Amino acid sequence: MKTFSSTDEKIIKATFEILQEEGFAKATTKKIAAKAGVNEVTIFRNFKNKNNLVEVTKEYHLQLLINKLKEIFEFDDDDGIEEYLKISFFGILNLTEEDLSILRVAMEEVRQDPEKTILISDITDVILDQLEEFFTVKIETGVIRKVNPKSLAIMCFGMLFQSVILWKIYNHDLEFEDNYYADDLINIMFEGINP
C-alpha cells in the first residue's frame, strides 16, 4: 500500500467523509480542505485536482478494505471447514461502518457507470480467491470430495456476500440470530436440502 504523509492522509480521510455525506457533485475542494484543516492550495499541490483526489481516496480505502478481507478469509491448512466458514461469516458480519461505506461507494460506482467495475471486482476477487484456495487445500488433503473449488467458493461467497453484506449495506436489520443463521447455512451446505 502506498504511503502518504500525515497531511495527505488527513485530506484523503476528509475527502472520504465528504463523499459519504454529500456525494461527488457537492464535494468541493474548499469543503475538503476545511474538514482536513489544510489550505485548499495544499490539495491542488498534492493531488492536482478534485478528480485525482477522489480516485486516490477510493484506491486508499479500497486497499484498506482488501487488507481487512484478506485477514478475514486467511486460513491455516488445518482449519476445519465449518470453523473457517463461521469465522469468515462473523468477520463479514462485523465489518465496520467505514468498511461498508467503501462497499457502498464501489457499488454506486458500478450503478452509475456499469463499465467501471474495478472497485467491486477487486473486492469480490479477494474473497473468491481466498475461498477457492481454501477449498483447493481441503480437496487436495481429502477432507472433501473432489469438486470444483471455484464453484464452492462462489456458493459460499453468495451466502456470505449477498446474505450479509448487502443487507448491511442497505441498512436492513438482520432479522435473525447470528449463530443460528451461520449454523443453518453451514448445515445446508453439508447436508443439502433433501429430506
Side-chain angles (χ1 to χ4, degrees):
M1 185 166 165
K2 184 179 175 184
T3 329
F4 293 97
S5 69
S6 60
T7 300
D8 286 351
E9 275 198 16
K10 283 196 297 190
I11 293 168
I12 289 168
K13 289 178 181 186
T15 302
F16 190 69
E17 289 175 27
I18 296 280
L19 287 172
Q20 290 176 79
E21 294 165 7
E22 302 190 28
F24 179 81
K26 294 181 182 176
T28 65
T29 53
K30 188 176 210 157
K31 289 178 185 176
I32 293 167
K35 188 156 200 96
V38 299
N39 189 306
E40 192 176 11
V41 172
T42 305
I43 291 175
F44 292 111
R45 184 177 46 235
N46 296 5
F47 296 97
K48 308 293 182 241
N49 57 51
K50 177 182 153 184
N51 287 339
N52 189 51
L53 173 58
V54 168
E55 287 306 311
V56 168
T57 298
K58 287 194 295 190
E59 283 299 318
Y60 175 86
H61 284 87
L62 171 66
Q63 196 55 55
L64 290 176
L65 178 60
I66 283 175
N67 291 344
K68 186 173 272 191
L69 290 172
K70 283 180 179 176
E71 277 181 37
I72 289 171
F73 288 93
E74 191 173 61
F75 64 90
D76 292 322
D77 290 355
D78 59 341
D79 285 347
I81 297 171
E82 291 182 44
E83 170 194 18
Y84 173 71
L85 292 176
K86 203 164 186 179
I87 288 169
S88 301
F89 174 84
F90 282 103
I92 293 291
L93 198 61
N94 293 318
L95 287 173
T96 66
E97 190 54 41
E98 183 172 300
D99 298 328
L100 294 172
S101 292
I102 297 165
L103 285 166
R104 281 186 199 99
V105 167
M107 292 173 73
E108 188 63 29
E109 182 178 70
V110 172
R111 192 167 61 169
Q112 289 176 359
D113 184 1
E115 297 197 15
K116 196 164 189 178
T117 60
I118 293 177
L119 283 181
I120 199 71
S121 64
D122 285 351
I123 293 165
T124 57
D125 286 350
V126 166
I127 297 171
L128 286 171
D129 290 348
Q130 289 286 97
L131 286 168
E132 185 176 358
E133 186 180 335
F134 174 78
F135 287 122
T136 298
V137 167
K138 295 305 168 191
I139 290 166
E140 289 171 353
T141 56
V143 173
I144 56 177
R145 68 182 175 90
K146 196 169 191 164
V147 293
N148 184 339
K150 187 168 219 59
S151 296
L152 282 173
I154 290 169
M155 181 185 73
C156 290
F157 173 80
M159 289 188 312
L160 290 167
F161 188 79
Q162 293 176 343
S163 64
V164 177
I165 293 178
L166 292 179
W167 280 332
K168 288 187 81 170
I169 284 175
Y170 293 109
N171 296 320
H172 291 290
D173 287 331
L174 303 179
E175 296 175 6
F176 54 77
E177 199 274 309
D178 302 344
N179 274 323
Y180 173 77
Y181 186 75
D183 289 340
D184 212 22
L185 286 176
I186 291 167
N187 178 273
I188 291 167
M189 182 179 156
F190 283 97
E191 305 296 329
I193 59 172
N194 292 328

